[in-house]
Amino acid sequence: MAGAKRRKKSAMWRKIHALRCEDIKLWCVRRLPILKWAPSYNLKENLIPDTVSGMMLAIQQVPQGLAFAVLSSVHPVFGLYGSLFPVIIYAVFGMGRHVATGTFALTSLISANAVERLVSSASNNFTTSNNSGVLGLSEFEMQRIGVAAAVSFLGGIIQVAMFVLHLGSATFLLTEPVISAMTTGAATHVVTSQVKYLLGMKMPYISGPLGFFYIYAYIFENIKSVQLEALLLSLVSLVVLVLVKELNEKFKRKIKVVLPIDFILIIATSIGCYCADLEYTYGLEVVGHIPEGIPAPKAPFLNILSEVVTEAFGVALVGYVASLALAQGSAKQFKYSVDDNQELLAHGLSNVIPSFFFCIPSAAAMGRTALLYSTGAKTQCVLASIIVVGLKGMLMQFRDLKKYWNVDKIDWSIWVSTYVFTVCFAANVGLLYGVVCTIVIVIFRFQRAKTLSLKNMKVECKFKTEADCESLQQVKIVSVNNPLVFLNAKKFHHDLIRIIQKDGASTQPHDDLNKCEQNTLLNPVSNGNCLGELSLQPCPNERCALILDCSGLTFFDYTGVSVLLQIYMDFKNRSIDVLLAHCKGKYQATDKFLIVI
């Protein structure tokens, strides 16, 4: 009897141990995505194309660090470190398969505020040992990178803390118009910061509220100090960069390797700078010598963390939002999923760990331009031209205004006002304003919305069969009885997919079509789902249809429209027709759906 109890107890402990090991394994795979994709990596099929892509990305990443380091007000060599270490960390913890992490214009500009503000006043706080020469650089340069590394460290800590608090689930508050406006406004700030290099002007560092306007006021007041040689070189560089990049984009399907015009341009200007001695002949400002090697790790200046809190929050929020938008966009395009909360951990560690290797704040960039890693002289007006052209994608988001105007004029107004706040103040201020403004407007619109019930109305579905006389035998009817906005659009999409994929769905009699299953999307407003005859499954000889009754769809924003389009594409791949019934007024204008009136 005692032996049986011992065997039972031993079996129970083995079971608990097995469960714990399995839980640990699942946790590791979830938090270390590399453990999921690395074992199944196909060397034969993917090694060569990935190697070619990696080489091209290295050409893009390494020299671009030079430009973004200058933007961050630190020595260019530290931008090279920022192009290496964050990439390695994100490869282990990140889920975005097509995300190029590294130095980023927006985070570099934010950290520059702290560097320019603290480097002189903070000199009394640094001991001689903390400022010993590294890589042959001056004490002044080491002080500046110490501040930038502190911003990166604290920004990463904030992102990791957000991960622990599961704040990644709150990203639904970041609507596409708000992100687009914020990044466009921040790109405008970056371009403005490079104007002095494009014109060859020497001017003090200007930041803070309305700093955008003060910069241009200073430029117009000192317009006579413009160096014509720098202006001419900048114009030529801009024209060449834009022209060649447009040609690369046009013929990218026909050529496997695009022309690295940034690489070629920097070689040409470096040779020209050396041969013509432009620095002394014309007084053009150059970057100069780039030290070799990687220094030993060293802690950032932790004693100034309290003084860089504002910039750290800006780096954490702006960097994460911009990176997540790129990750979600690539995931949507290439049909895989991204965990919003895991991305917080990945980018947080990509800022914390590299900060010990003299790295500036990092994030994912919209486009990586091909630049040159050289130890020779490089003109800063060319680097400024590369930064400006590299932000073309963000600046072209002005074109989004047309689609926002056509879909929802309130989203259009949110975009414009968020952009204005970002330009007048800062990227993090504009982001906060956009989120608060969006929530307030949606709450106001929800109060005015009317919710209808399917059981009090008659739904008539008329379907004209195709020439092959396919029969319409599988139908689901879902009543959308509340506004479809950013607060509930994502959940509506997931719930709709779950309803369609529900296993073992029982057939409902036709008389029960008026009985709706309540599916809460946003308290206190609910969405009634009325299921049709069968669970929709793709079938070769029968037409399947999903009917969305839009009688209660009183309004929607751009996010709601995007989700409807995504639903249409998802169900089209499943050979299921999506029909909209009882659309009202302007909501019938879409050409993406079959509409039942």
Side-chain angles (χ1 to χ4, degrees):
M1 193 70 178
K5 288 183 178 180
R6 283 195 298 268
R7 287 193 297 270
K8 185 177 181 180
K9 187 176 181 180
S10 177
M12 182 182 67
W13 280 111
R14 285 196 300 269
K15 186 176 181 180
I16 293 175
H17 178 73
L19 288 175
R20 288 179 177 176
C21 292
E22 185 67 22
D23 291 341
I24 294 175
K25 181 180 178 181
L26 291 175
W27 185 89
C28 290
V29 171
R30 184 180 179 185
R31 297 307 173 202
L32 298 171
I34 192 174
L35 298 179
K36 183 176 182 180
W37 60 262
S40 59
Y41 185 80
N42 192 322
L43 291 175
K44 184 177 181 180
E45 294 183 4
N46 300 329
L47 183 60
I48 294 179
D50 282 353
T51 301
V52 174
S53 298
M55 293 175 63
M56 292 301 298
L57 185 59
I59 295 176
Q60 296 170 354
Q61 284 271 40
V62 174
Q64 190 179 27
L66 300 174
F68 287 154
V70 172
L71 179 61
S72 191
S73 296
V74 299
H75 193 280
V77 70
F78 299 118
L80 301 179
Y81 306 149
S83 300
L84 173 63
F85 293 104
V87 178
I88 299 174
I89 303 301
Y90 185 82
V92 176
F93 294 93
M95 299 185 68
R97 303 173 190 172
H98 303 83
V99 172
T101 304
T103 54
F104 185 42
L106 305 188
T107 54
S108 295
L109 184 63
I110 294 173
S111 66
N113 293 332
V115 172
E116 296 289 349
R117 176 170 53 87
L118 293 177
V119 70
S120 58
S121 60
S123 58
N124 294 331
N125 297 331
F126 304 138
T127 63
T128 305
S129 60
N130 283 336
N131 292 286
S132 57
V134 177
L135 299 174
L137 298 176
S138 65
E139 180 179 328
F140 175 74
E141 293 292 352
M142 297 311 300
Q143 290 177 357
R144 293 172 83 85
I145 187 57
V147 175
V151 173
S152 178
F153 175 81
L154 186 56
I157 292 295
I158 292 173
Q159 289 175 326
V160 173
M162 294 170 65
F163 160 77
V164 174
L165 297 175
H166 293 277
L167 295 184
S169 58
T171 54
F172 68 91
L173 296 173
L174 303 172
T175 63
E176 182 177 330
V178 171
I179 296 176
S180 174
M182 183 274 293
T183 53
T184 306
T188 305
H189 275 294
V190 174
V191 171
T192 300
S193 70
Q194 298 305 295
V195 172
K196 63 180 180 182
Y197 297 118
L198 296 174
L199 301 179
M201 294 181 62
K202 294 184 182 299
M203 59 182 296
Y205 185 82
I206 301 175
S207 63
L210 303 181
F212 173 84
F213 302 100
Y214 291 137
I215 290 175
Y216 285 105
Y218 182 93
I219 291 174
F220 286 117
E221 290 176 359
N222 299 271
I223 195 67
K224 293 183 179 180
S225 63
V226 172
Q227 289 182 289
L228 295 181
E229 296 83 5
L231 177 60
L232 179 61
L233 184 57
S234 299
L235 291 176
V236 172
S237 300
L238 288 171
V239 171
V240 172
L241 286 169
V242 172
L243 180 61
V244 176
K245 285 179 180 294
E246 288 295 328
L247 292 176
N248 282 339
E249 184 67 21
K250 183 177 181 180
F251 297 104
K252 65 181 180 180
R253 295 185 178 180
K254 297 182 180 180
I255 55 177
K256 294 183 178 181
V257 180
V258 298
L259 180 65
I261 183 58
D262 308 82
F263 188 98
I264 298 173
L265 183 62
I266 289 187
I267 290 180
T269 54
S270 297
I271 295 175
C273 181
Y274 176 78
C275 295
D277 200 9
L278 298 180
E279 181 179 5
Y280 298 102
T281 303
Y282 298 103
L284 294 183
E285 189 176 0
V286 299
V287 172
H289 179 72
I290 304 296
E292 298 179 358
I294 298 178
K298 189 176 183 179
F301 296 139
L302 303 181
N303 57 330
I304 63 168
L305 293 183
S306 60
E307 301 182 63
V308 298
V309 171
T310 302
E311 288 79 11
F313 267 104
V315 166
L317 296 178
V318 175
Y320 172 68
V321 169
S323 302
L324 182 63
L326 293 176
Q328 290 178 336
S330 63
K332 182 178 179 180
Q333 180 177 355
F334 295 99
K335 309 298 181 184
Y336 63 89
S337 61
V338 171
D339 186 340
D340 299 349
N341 211 50
Q342 178 65 22
E343 288 297 288
L344 275 173
L345 176 64
H347 288 289
L349 295 179
S350 296
N351 276 313
V352 172
I353 298 176
S355 68
F356 289 83
F357 294 89
F358 304 97
C359 292
I360 59 179
S362 66
M366 183 174 287
R368 296 294 179 188
T369 53
L371 303 173
L372 174 66
Y373 170 46
S374 173
T375 58
K378 304 163 199 65
T379 59
Q380 289 203 10
C381 55
V382 173
L383 292 181
S385 300
I386 292 170
I387 292 175
V388 171
V389 176
L391 293 171
K392 176 187 172 185
M394 290 185 180
L395 295 175
M396 293 299 289
Q397 291 179 134
F398 278 108
R399 295 182 300 182
D400 294 343
L401 285 171
K402 182 178 179 181
K403 66 181 181 181
Y404 296 140
W405 179 269
N406 292 334
V407 174
D408 188 4
K409 293 179 176 57
I410 292 181
D411 274 342
W412 180 89
S413 64
I414 291 176
W415 195 103
V416 172
S417 58
T418 301
Y419 175 81
V420 171
F421 264 76
T422 302
V423 169
C424 292
F425 299 99
N428 51 344
V429 176
L431 181 64
L432 179 61
Y433 164 81
V435 171
V436 173
C437 183
T438 303
I439 294 175
V440 171
I441 290 177
V442 167
I443 291 175
F444 176 75
R445 295 174 78 179
F446 260 116
Q447 291 176 347
R448 300 178 59 187
K450 296 180 180 179
T451 302
L452 303 179
S453 176
L454 185 62
K455 63 183 181 182
N456 295 326
M457 56 180 291
K458 183 179 180 181
V459 178
E460 296 180 1
C461 177
K462 298 179 181 179
F463 187 88
K464 184 177 180 180
T465 58
E466 304 292 342
D468 56 2
C469 298
E470 294 175 328
S471 60
L472 182 65
Q473 295 188 7
Q474 298 193 45
V475 179
K476 273 190 182 293
I477 302 175
V478 177
S479 175
V480 186
N481 285 342
N482 56 264
L484 192 59
V485 294
F486 72 97
L487 291 173
N488 62 355
K490 186 176 181 180
K491 189 175 188 303
F492 174 77
H493 186 193
H494 291 166
D495 290 347
L496 198 60
I497 295 293
R498 187 170 64 251
I499 290 172
I500 299 303
Q501 293 179 334
K502 190 174 182 180
D503 294 330
S506 58
T507 301
Q508 294 184 348
H510 291 282
D511 295 340
D512 292 339
L513 284 178
N514 288 332
K515 297 180 180 179
C516 298
E517 173 188 349
Q518 293 298 319
N519 174 33
T520 302
L521 292 180
L522 179 67
N523 292 328
V525 182
S526 64
N527 177 63
N529 298 293
C530 191
L531 307 183
E533 287 188 25
L534 298 171
S535 175
L536 289 180
Q537 299 293 337
C539 46
N541 300 321
E542 298 178 349
R543 295 296 298 270
C544 306
L546 169 68
I547 300 177
L548 299 178
D549 179 74
C550 301
S551 300
L553 184 57
T554 52
F555 71 88
F556 52 75
D557 61 6
Y558 183 81
T559 304
V561 174
S562 299
V563 167
L564 286 177
L565 293 177
Q566 185 62 38
I567 290 173
Y568 170 80
M569 296 303 300
D570 289 345
F571 282 75
K572 182 180 179 181
N573 295 334
R574 300 168 182 266
S575 301
I576 298 174
D577 293 325
V578 178
L579 302 94
L580 302 184
H582 291 273
C583 299
K584 297 181 180 181
K586 64 179 180 180
Y587 304 139
Q588 299 183 35
T590 178
D591 59 353
K592 288 292 186 180
F593 303 95
L594 279 168
I595 299 177
V596 182
I597 306 300

